[in-house]
Amino acid sequence: MKKIYMDYAATTPVDEEVLKEMLPYFKEKYGNASSLHSFGREAFDAIEKAREQVAKIINSTPDEIIFTSGGTESDNLAIKGIAYKNKDKRKKEGPHIITCSIEHPAVLETCKHLEKQGFDVEFISVDKYGLVDPGDLEKAISKNTFLVTIMFANNEIGTIQPIEEIGKIAEQHDILFHTDAVQAVGKEHIDVNKLNIDLLSISSHKIYGPKGVGALFVRKGVKPEPVLHGGGHEKGLRSSTYNTPGIVGLGKACELGLKRMEKDREHMKKLRDTLIKNILTIEESYLNGHKTKRLVNNAHFRFTAIEGESLNLMLDDKGIAASTGSACSSTKLQPSHVLLGIGLKPEETHGSLRLTLGRYNTMDEIEYVSEVLPDIVKNLRNMSPLWH
Amino acid sequence: MAVVYSKKVLEHFRNPHNMGEIKDADGIGAVGNPVCGDLMEIYIKVKDNKIEDIKFKTFGCAAAIATSSMITDLAKGKTIDEALKITRDSVAKNLDGLPPIKMHCSNLAADALHEAIKDYKKKQNIES
């Protein structure tokens, strides 16, 4: 049976060139980058090269890149780090953070944690496409607001936020702006200077790099408190022995991502648009997210009267790897907060299907999915008491 | 986190037994709620106090579909009293177990069967 991977938003395979670049740093060039000797210097040089490669993909300078263990840690460091820095600026109403209702759990849960510690957090809502209204943001800003954290693009429905406008508002009010760009890096052109971004989270395994490594862009002059204390790595911001192979892999993945961005974008957009067109011919099927302001690789549907876990298992039986926001597939048995956040009723969230494409998908695969999916939906609807 | 299903669950999920409706059913039991993501309907046809035919319709996850299919196998041919003894646990056991997280939310088939029998008894009383 053919095996088709359409879950690139979950993770990506490591690119062949990335792997090749990483391999020597496991066994031959194993030095600790903090050591003075030649072994250490070899690792140090590799890490500094990676720092340049990462900086380029977001148009920052290398000294503004902090290596972390991944997107979650980058979000934690950015939000907690800035929050702890502002903790002592106690004003009457307490320090204030603004975020939105459909953020990744790495941001949402971090903000909720800070709420328990006495920070005020405002979770602004989004419209039916998942878009933040910059006007709402403006209204939410108070004298005590010190941080706005809004994701670049949503991991479930692919909606791209008005980042430039948000950046402008944050700058006008002299508030720091963090964005979780884990899903956008390599797919969207990102210029942290043009967009007035102060902190930006990157994950390696979403861009054909290895798992367990990521980066945080921290604008020069912005000084978060560290979350990990120890030997003082990364200018004291993130202690922990350097994961040299991982960092080298992330660097190479960024270099290739930037080099191939135009080609990748064009390829994925063509596939995505065909897929959306084909799937929406199914009776009572809907596209979640925005039609145009969406990631080039994201297609997110919902189908009336069927349940997403069943749908995904049946697709898996046909060799197709996808994802769902259905409650039944989550460990908390709660419908996706993103789908609820865009105003879907709980019963409407169950029949959802996310197909996220990547560099290695082909038009043949799109055709195969388009052929197989209508029958699966039909079968499940035949079984469903909710289908007319 | 991935939910891991037994082979038996997946077999019943892929090829459910007795799926469909009985138009002139003697009893219908509906349990669950589309808001939670599981809705089950069991139809029974009773002759000489025995469940002669049984069918189901289910909206839900693989566990919900597999338990529906299993209950129809377990109840078919049984007397009403025997059928009432089928429990959620026996459904799960006959499927070689269910993932813990699915034990409560999707293991509704026994409840649906009991509801169908209740409905049958009610109708009998009214008619007799």
Side-chain angles (χ1 to χ4, degrees), chain A residues 7 9 26 54-55 64 139 205 219 226 285 288 305 312 332 342 375 388:
Chain A
D7 202 11
F26 284 100
V54 175
E64 294 171 310
K139 268 181 248 158
H205 76 104
R219 180 171 294 288
S285 61
N288 289 326
N312 271 267
K332 291 178 192 159
I342 59 171
D375 282 341
H388 40 78

Side-chain angles (χ1 to χ4, degrees), chain A residues 305-307 309-311 313-314 317 327-333 335 346-347 349-351 379-387, chain B residues 1 3 5 10 13-14 16 19-20 34-41 43 56-63 65 101-102 105-106:
Chain A
I306 62 172
E307 193 281 314
E309 190 208 78
S310 293
L311 181 59
L313 277 172
M314 287 199 171
D317 281 347
C328 303
S329 69
S330 79
T331 45
K332 291 178 192 159
L333 297 177
E347 57 266 41
T349 62
H350 298 303
N379 281 345
L380 286 168
R381 279 177 173 168
N382 276 339
M383 225 183 275
S384 170
L386 295 174
W387 186 242
Chain B
M1 208 189 303
V3 167
Y5 287 121
L10 290 173
F13 165 68
R14 286 177 182 133
M19 195 270 288
V35 175
C36 311
D38 283 310
L39 185 67
M40 238 174 242
E41 287 179 8
Y43 305 80
F56 81 88
K57 278 213 150 181
T58 291
F59 159 80
C61 64
I65 291 170
I101 196 166
K102 300 283 184 180
C105 68
S106 309

Side-chain angles (χ1 to χ4, degrees), chain A residues 72-98:
Chain A
T72 295
E73 193 197 324
S74 295
D75 287 342
N76 270 267
L77 175 57
I79 299 167
K80 285 182 192 161
I82 294 300
Y84 293 155
K85 199 78 183 179
N86 285 270
K87 204 160 98 182
D88 296 331
K89 291 185 189 163
R90 291 228 182 266
K91 295 172 187 165
K92 263 184 202 162
E93 294 138 42
H96 184 235
I97 301 170
I98 301 171

